[in-house]
Every structure is written in C-alpha cells, then in structure tokens.
Amino acid sequence: MHTYRIGALLLAVTTTLASAQTSLKLIPIPREVRVVGETALTHGVRVVCAAPCAAEDQFATDDLTAALEARGVAAEAAGGFRIELVRLAAHAEPRFTEEMRAEGYVVTANADGLTVVGATAEGIFYGAQTVKQMVDGNGARAVVHRAEIRDWPAMRYRGLDDDLSRGPITTLEFQKKLIRTLAAYKVNIYSPYFEHTQQYGSNPLMAPPGSVTAAEASELVAYAGQYHITVIPEQEAFGHLHHNLTWEMYQPLAETPHGAVLAPGQAGSVALITQMFTELAAIYPGPFLHIGADETVDLGLGQTKADVDARGLAPVYLDFLQKITTALKPLNRKLLWWGDVAQDSPDLLKTLPQSFKDATIAVAWEYNPQARGYDKFLTPFTKAGFETWVAPSVNNFRKVYPNNNLALSNIQHFTADGQRLGSTGQLNTIWNDDGEGLINQDWYGILFGAAAAWQKGESSVPAFEDSYGQVFHGDATGALDEAQKEMMLAHSVLKDQAKEGDGTNSIFWLDPMSADGLKIGAQVIPYARDLRVHAERALVLIAQARAAAPAAAPARLGAAVYDPAESYPSAPTTLRETAAIDALELGARRMDFIGLKFQLAKEISEGYQRAYNMQHTTDKKQRMDVARELSDINGVNGRLHDIIDTYSLLRDLYEQAWYRSNRAYALRPVLEHYDYTVGLWLARSDKLRSAQRQWSDSHTLPAASDLGLPLPSAYTQP
C-alpha cells in the first residue's frame, strides 16, 4: 500500500547492511558504520573530556553522562566502560576529511571503550548524541554497541518550524525539552512561528495574555545555544495577520477591513514591520529572521486593488518584500521568506536586484507527496540565483493523529530533491490550523525530518519505521513501531477505501445524523470495521509495549538537562518519552471512535425503525422487543450513551495531554467543543427518553423525524 517504502537503503556503510540494521539502530543513520561488537555495561561507564577540554565539550560530556544516568547506567565508575570525547587537534584521525570539519565526527571502538573525535564543538556534541543511541537497555542490563562510525550532515541547516499561533502555545519548560530532543537528533534550527503571540513592547495590543514574553524568548535562546541550536523567530510580516488587524488602531494598514494582509501602499505597514523586527532582533540574536509572507490571499482585493490591476500581483508582492528587506537591512540579518506566492513568476524573480537575492533565503514549501517531484517549487528560485531551503511537514494539521503516510513521503522526497538542487537547509513544519494540535503526537515526523536533513540523498522510510520505537522510546519489542504503522493503515482506510479524506478532526466532530454526516457515513460505514481494527490493534500494541516495559514513577535523576515532568527510567525495562506514547494512544482512541460513531448512529436509526414498525402490535413478546430496542438505544448501556461516554472520556484524556506540553491559553475552545457535542447527544437522549415514556403510557411512538433521527436508508450510498 505504501509504495514509497520500497527501495534500497541509500547508505554508505563499511559493514554488511543487515548487521548495522539489526544490531544497531540509529536516527539519523550515519554515513559509515561498522559494528565490531557489544559490551555489557555491568560496571557502568566513565565519560571523559580529553584535555584541553573546552567548556562546550564539557557540556557535551555532562549531557551524555546525565542521559546514561537517567537510564540507570552508573556513571563516573572507575572500572566503567570508557567513552572519551576529544578534539581533532589533539587526536590525529586520518579518516577525518575537510567536508566533515564543521559538524562531522568519528567514533572509534575497542574492547575497552569508545573515542569520539570532532574538529568543532558541534562535531563533539553530535558524536556524543550518537553514542547515546549506541546504548540499548537500562541499568545493569544495558549494553553498548561498539562501532566504527564516520559521519557528517548532508545539509547545513536542519530545522523545525513550530506553529505557536493557531491555538496551543507550548510552555517554556516544554520548549526546553523540545530543544534538548531536537539537538539529540542533530537538528540545529528551531523556528517558533508567530502571527500575534510574541509580545512586543512597541505594539502591546497584539499579543494576548499568556503568549510568549521577551524574557521567555531570551531564556530559550540562551538555553538553545548550549545545544548548538539557533532560534529563528518567524513573525508574519505581510499576510496571516488577521488577529493583529482586528484592532481598530491598525485598520488603516489592512488591505481589507479586518482582513489578514498588510496593505503595501500604506507607509505605516513598513513602520509596523520595522518595529516588530527591531525588537525581535534584540531578543533573538542569531543570523536569521523569518518574515513569513506566505498566502497573501487578500492582496489586490482592497486598498491595493488598483495597483495590482495595473501591474499584476507578483510585481506588487515582490516590491513590498524588497521594501521590507531594505527597511530591515540595519538589523544585519538574512531574511527567510516563504516561496509560494513568488514561485509562479520565475521570469520576474530573475530580474530582481542581486542585493535582494543576497539578503534573503526563499523557503519553498509543500506538504503533500508529489508524484513528479518537488522541482517546480525550487527551480524558480534556484534558476534566479536565490539560496533555498525546503519545508515539508509532519502532516499533523486538522488530524486526530498525523497522517504519516503523507508526512514520511513528503519529508523524504522533498528533502532529497532539495539536496539535489542545492538547498542549504530543511525547515520541517508543524501546523495547528484548527487549534487542536498536540506536539507530543508529532515526534514521528519530527525525527524523520531530522534524519532526512542529516542523511545524504533519499532517507530510508523502512529503516526509520523499524528504528523509531527502540531509539526514541527504548521499546525493544517493536510494538510501538507496529502501532505507528497501524495508525498509518487507519488513515489509509479513510483516504483510499472510504474516499473521505483521512482521520481529520472535522470527521471526528461531525454529527453522523446531520445531512453531511449521513452522506459521509454512507461512505465510511462499509469500511468502519477495517478502520477500527487498525486503531484497536494500535491500542493493543501500545498496551503490550507498556506491559513489557512498565513506566517508573516520575523522578529527577541527575542534571537539569532533563525534564522532571517525564517518567525517567529507573528499571531495566522502562519506556522513555511516555507523553508521546500517551498522545499516540489518544490518537488511536479518537481514530477508533470515528468508525464507532458512524456504526452506532446507523444502529440507532435501525433500532428505532424496528421499534416504530412494531408499535401497533398486540403480541406481548413484540411489545417487549419494542422496549428492548428503545433500551438498546437509550438505556444504561445504550448506544446514545456509548457516544456520550466516549466523547466525555476523550475530552478528559485530551485535556491531560494538552497540559503535558501547553499553556492554558486556547484550550477552552477545544474543551467547549467536547462539551457542546456531549450536550448534543444528551439532548437526543432526553428526546428518546420522552419517546420511551410515550411507549410506556400509550404504546405509541413518535416518528423518527420528530426525534431528529434519520431513517436507516439514509446511511446507504446512492
């Protein structure tokens, strides 16, 4: 079903590929790996930073030590397995080439220990992150895979764009956890996305209470720097500014009344942008700023209509980008901007001033698989002389769980095409379009994005699918890997068989007794069993993984680089990243309920119709059957209450999952959606209860239409 899984692994290895895959699972997969053996860590480890030890290298040493201690491996043991971090300048390594110098590393192994060699602090740090993954198991049962490794990245910039404006805003503590985790998989860019949720002293109206403060941002930047991650703020500077432009003070700058796009012809537009980015530059001191500028759909519909009609959309759009770039030149930053609007004007792009091209990076984005590849999103810029990055997506937007069928293919091929066409960076993306996104559901796509940006060429999907559970969660059973695949199959049932999108939030919320619900239900019901079996298999697999590796009680073990909210391994079989496992379970439960909801709605209609058809009977048994049918719909274990109870449970689980990563801001509308939906089904229960009383009193029943119930035939495809 997933054709993109087929193909040889494009890896440069100096040992048999089978050996490297089965005995040592790594994300990203290094360029060269030769496994030479295993050593039990019965006596613990001793991580050493060779003299002269730079402060950054000591940080990497402490980080590796803390990670192993958190897994119950004794550190600083005198007789422990020795892991040494050393700079190339102090340790000659003939396999170290010039292209490895910036971020590459070499790991050498012997019976007594490992040596990590890097020319830079980044190389030392990334080598240490690989060593973390070379240790399997926990406590006294842990083993280290001794391997010879030579590795360096395919792309200079490897990043994650994190939507903090469409609902959830992660807490500062979770952002720090995110930084630690991204760094562990060799990501070096984190880009928080802002429309209106970064607070500005010069524009205090824009950001609501509970959004990101300047002090929080500065703290995050300093924290990320330790992990060799540059924080690039993305503040929309052209479109996607609806929340800002609802303020009356900014109405003169809006292209359309209370719209989403700044009017290029208004002098105040550039002044507003300059105010915001001057503050951003002071808070985020890295070499880049991201001005957004995507999906400027209002442009030419309001204040700028005459100009667009006269000159065309692209010239007006690109002229304004040049004005923004000129205004921000004193900040001395390279500006990233989304390429979707300008990519359709390749000839115009070629005519733009070289100074503009040198000052900016065009970020091409597309979030779905493309049968003919991604060249059309990149070549308009590469042929015009722009530096480019690629932006795929984890495909979480508007989903009960990310559709990783789409995400893995998109990330895999877009990143590979970007490498082939000379893109210097990848900016994987998270979007929370309907405000319901949970970042703990996104790790699968985040980690594959990290792998694809680091690895050269087309990263192997099967290798990743078979490594994720062990590397990220410490799951030696493979059950969590299979659970992820079951969720992908569940999405495929809806998309490929029912032909009704995939597991979206909209279909989760859809009332199956509404006009749209009846239409979609007729498509889904024939495949509801298959959908539910895949979701339920995922739930069983999750339970099996947990049973094989029970989680320990939360405990703080060792250094401040670890999150006290996580359940840390203290037993040899404890799983890691339990919040992500909980989020996977929530996704599977919601996916299962999509199928159940349509099944129950049809059964309610069928049961009521049977009862209604028997209402005039004088047969005692049939009268009992009428009462039974009504009870099956609205009794203690009735189908209406199955729906009510499941929405209620999912509401509570969702709220718990939300607070594992997010601030309170923006949670209320989602919970209100649950409450409203439960109320809808409670009202139906009240109507059915009235019908039950009518049956008891007069042995008559109202028509289904009087109760708002559809006829069973409504669930049949025409």
Side-chain angles (χ1 to χ4, degrees), residues 114-294:
L114 300 174
T115 301
V116 177
V117 182
T120 63
E122 290 85 353
I124 291 287
F125 182 82
Y126 293 137
Q129 303 315 301
T130 297
V131 171
K132 287 181 186 178
Q133 297 182 30
M134 294 167 70
V135 176
D136 284 341
N138 300 296
R141 299 182 187 178
V143 299
V144 60
H145 298 273
R146 302 194 317 276
E148 299 282 334
I149 296 175
R150 199 165 75 98
D151 195 19
W152 67 98
M155 304 186 86
R156 173 66 184 90
Y157 302 108
R158 308 170 300 278
L160 180 71
D161 189 277
D162 185 11
D163 179 2
L164 300 184
S165 276
R166 279 84 174 280
I169 304 176
T170 46
T171 64
L172 178 59
E173 285 308 306
F174 185 86
Q175 283 187 303
K176 289 179 178 179
K177 173 186 171 52
L178 179 60
I179 290 294
R180 295 192 299 271
T181 310
L182 292 175
Y185 296 92
K186 304 179 177 65
V187 170
N188 62 1
I189 297 290
Y190 173 62
S191 182
Y193 169 88
F194 302 118
E195 294 175 0
H196 66 301
T197 49
Q198 171 72 60
Q199 294 184 16
Y200 296 107
S202 59
N203 300 284
L205 287 179
M206 290 184 172
S211 51
V212 179
T213 68
E216 289 173 325
S218 294
E219 185 175 341
L220 182 67
V221 167
Y223 188 85
Q226 302 173 97
Y227 292 88
H228 305 283
I229 288 182
T230 299
V231 182
I232 303 176
E234 178 186 349
Q235 170 61 63
E236 286 284 5
F238 198 164
H240 284 293
L241 291 171
H242 172 73
H243 291 289
N244 312 65
L245 297 177
T246 56
W247 293 101
E248 196 61 29
M249 285 181 61
Y250 297 112
Q251 273 302 287
L253 308 183
E255 174 71 11
T256 58
H258 303 112
V261 174
L262 284 174
Q266 288 287 346
S269 294
V270 172
L272 176 63
I273 293 165
T274 303
Q275 281 182 317
M276 291 191 293
F277 279 88
T278 299
E279 287 195 42
L280 284 176
I283 301 168
Y284 300 91
F288 304 105
L289 295 168
H290 196 324
I291 63 174
D294 58 312

Side-chain angles (χ1 to χ4, degrees), residues 504-522:
T504 61
N505 288 324
S506 61
I507 197 172
F508 171 82
W509 292 116
L510 182 64
D511 177 3
M513 293 184 176
S514 67
D516 285 344
L518 293 171
K519 179 181 176 182
I520 291 173

Side-chain angles (χ1 to χ4, degrees), residues 388-444:
T388 61
W389 290 7
V390 297
S393 171
V394 302
N395 212 277
N396 68 310
F397 38 86
R398 302 183 295 275
K399 304 287 198 306
V400 300
Y401 193 76
N403 188 336
N404 288 312
N405 300 302
L406 304 180
L408 297 186
S409 178
N410 172 230
I411 293 167
Q412 176 192 44
H413 293 121
F414 200 0
T415 307
D417 285 352
Q419 291 183 22
R420 174 173 52 81
L421 293 171
S423 296
T424 57
Q426 177 228 65
L427 195 60
N428 199 9
T429 60
I430 294 171
W431 299 111
N432 302 313
D433 292 12
D434 57 7
E436 294 187 39
L438 295 169
I439 193 169
N440 275 316
Q441 293 186 333
D442 299 336
W443 289 113
Y444 204 69

Side-chain angles (χ1 to χ4, degrees), residues 456-540:
K456 183 176 177 58
E458 193 171 283
S459 297
S460 169
V461 169
F464 175 80
E465 290 177 326
D466 292 338
S467 300
Y468 171 84
Q470 180 170 315
V471 172
F472 191 57
H473 293 296
D475 173 32
T477 70
L480 293 179
D481 288 328
E482 293 305 310
Q484 293 283 358
K485 294 174 186 177
E486 291 292 344
M487 290 297 288
M488 295 163 72
L489 291 169
H491 273 299
S492 293
V493 169
L494 288 168
K495 186 175 181 62
D496 301 328
Q497 295 177 258
K499 308 295 184 184
E500 186 44 56
D502 50 14
T504 61
N505 288 324
S506 61
I507 197 172
F508 171 82
W509 292 116
L510 182 64
D511 177 3
M513 293 184 176
S514 67
D516 285 344
L518 293 171
K519 179 181 176 182
I520 291 173
Q523 295 173 246
V524 171
I525 287 170
Y527 307 101
R529 183 185 184 283
D530 291 344
L531 169 67
R532 297 192 64 202
V533 165
H534 288 305
E536 290 169 17
R537 282 177 181 162
L539 291 169
V540 170

Side-chain angles (χ1 to χ4, degrees), residues 473 480 542 546 575-586:
H473 293 296
L480 293 179
I542 293 166
R546 285 175 168 150
L575 292 174
R576 302 189 294 272
E577 303 294 348
T578 55
I581 301 172
D582 294 342
L584 170 60
E585 178 185 339
L586 175 61

